[in-house]
Amino acid sequence: RGLDDFRHGEHLLISGESVSELAHTVREACRQLSQYDSLVAASVTMVEQEYSWKAKADQVAAIIDKHYRARDT
């Protein structure tokens, strides 16, 4: 998993490849900060649910549980 999970305008802002395009994206975001409240909330939720230590530990525990259940049957 990686950045493919994140979507432009929902979890992050994707800018062009040039410095001027990046500067434009940052400047526009700073001018309209409140417009991005839902983007920030969605990003935080995604990171907490998918990428936090707890989320990763839960994924490892599920793999271990599946392995032991398969072994016991």
Side-chain angles (χ1 to χ4, degrees), residues 33-68:
L33 284 176
S34 63
Q35 175 181 325
Y36 297 102
D37 289 344
S38 62
L39 182 144
V40 171
S43 299
V44 169
T45 299
M46 169 83 83
V47 169
E48 288 174 348
Q49 290 178 350
E50 301 295 330
Y51 298 98
S52 68
W53 283 106
K54 181 183 180 333
K56 293 302 178 187
D58 290 345
Q59 292 170 6
V60 170
I63 292 168
I64 292 169
D65 287 345
K66 181 179 177 181
H67 171 75
Y68 279 105

Side-chain angles (χ1 to χ4, degrees), residues 1-52:
R1 298 189 91 167
L3 287 178
D4 293 340
D5 296 336
F6 294 88
R7 289 181 291 285
H8 172 69
E10 184 177 345
H11 303 105
L12 51 78
L13 297 176
I14 297 174
S15 184
E17 295 182 16
S18 73
V19 172
S20 63
E21 290 171 315
L22 175 61
H24 174 75
T25 300
V26 170
R27 183 175 53 246
E28 291 303 309
C30 289
R31 286 181 179 162
Q32 303 170 17
L33 284 176
S34 63
Q35 175 181 325
Y36 297 102
D37 289 344
S38 62
L39 182 144
V40 171
S43 299
V44 169
T45 299
M46 169 83 83
V47 169
E48 288 174 348
Q49 290 178 350
E50 301 295 330
Y51 298 98
S52 68

